Amino acid sequence: PRVYSGEHLGAVAMPIGGIGTGTIWLDGQGRLRVWQIFNNGTEPRVPGSFLALRVQPEGEPASLRVLQTEPEPGFAPCAGLSFEGGYPVARLDFDTGLPVAARLEAFSPMIPTDTANSSLPCVILRVTATNTGDKPAEVSLVATLQNAVGYEGNGAIEGVRHPGFGRNRNRVLREGPMTALEMT
């Protein structure tokens, strides 16, 4: 796999998702940039869909960083990142500017010769936080995802509004150790 940094990050984007199920592209700024899961060939972005870290070193106030080099409303970005890409896995190491380093591993369920499991409609995002400071720190992962049911890849989503949306509903489901979010 190649490692991209600095000015080269502007040309990086890797599709992640099961074979034949649509893809979400992870770009060189760490954003979930292109959403092609709506039977569309366009390149829309679903706003408000990102990962962030909340870090609170012992005895200090908490800080939040979006795991991107571009800000989101109310979230400061990371200072930089490096992007190691080799389909079907991308590894992004973030310069958070905090006493905690963060790594995002994003991948598709790609299993050679196993079409059924390589075609699962999912993206796997794994975040690892490592305390690089000299104090214990409480670290929380924040994940947001806009419910885009009804969107068909046509036109831009403005904030949380689009003509295709209507009575969208989110419901938390719990079964044993699993917690899931159903978006309808």
Side-chain angles (χ1 to χ4, degrees):
R2 291 190 170 154
V3 177
Y4 301 90
S5 60
E7 64 189 42
H8 302 287
L9 291 168
V12 174
M14 189 177 100
I16 46 180
I19 295 172
T21 65
T23 58
I24 299 171
W25 298 12
L26 181 64
D27 75 8
Q29 286 71 44
R31 298 174 298 184
L32 300 171
R33 178 67 184 101
V34 174
W35 293 71
Q36 291 183 328
I37 60 171
F38 309 107
N39 293 321
N40 61 311
T42 58
E43 296 188 1
R45 180 161 190 249
V46 176
S49 301
F50 58 88
L51 300 173
L53 278 187
R54 179 186 182 275
V55 177
Q56 185 169 16
E58 189 174 71
E60 296 181 26
S63 297
L64 227 61
R65 291 290 184 278
V66 63
L67 293 180
Q68 304 173 169
T69 56
E70 298 288 323
E72 292 285 344
F75 292 83
C78 289
L81 66 86
S82 66
F83 187 115
E84 178 186 323
Y87 188 82
V89 180
R91 290 180 186 87
L92 285 68
D93 289 306
F94 294 92
D95 175 1
T96 64
L98 301 171
V100 170
R103 170 176 262 200
L104 168 65
E105 291 178 289
F107 51 99
S108 304
M110 174 67 125
I111 305 164
T113 73
D114 187 343
T115 304
N117 286 313
S118 295
S119 301
L120 294 172
C122 71
V123 169
I124 301 161
L125 304 173
R126 178 175 36 212
V127 176
T128 304
T130 304
N131 188 341
T132 57
D134 54 5
K135 296 180 183 178
E138 183 177 308
V139 178
S140 300
L141 176 65
V142 177
T144 70
L145 178 64
Q146 183 169 166
N147 181 345
V149 170
Y151 182 65
E152 295 177 350
N154 53 342
I157 298 172
E158 301 295 332
V160 295
R161 294 184 176 22
H162 186 271
F165 292 175
R167 297 174 32 183
N168 290 13
R169 184 176 134 187
N170 300 331
R171 188 168 63 124
V172 176
L173 304 172
R174 291 187 174 88
E175 186 175 312
M178 180 199 78
T179 300
L181 179 62
E182 177 186 56
M183 295 180 167
T184 59

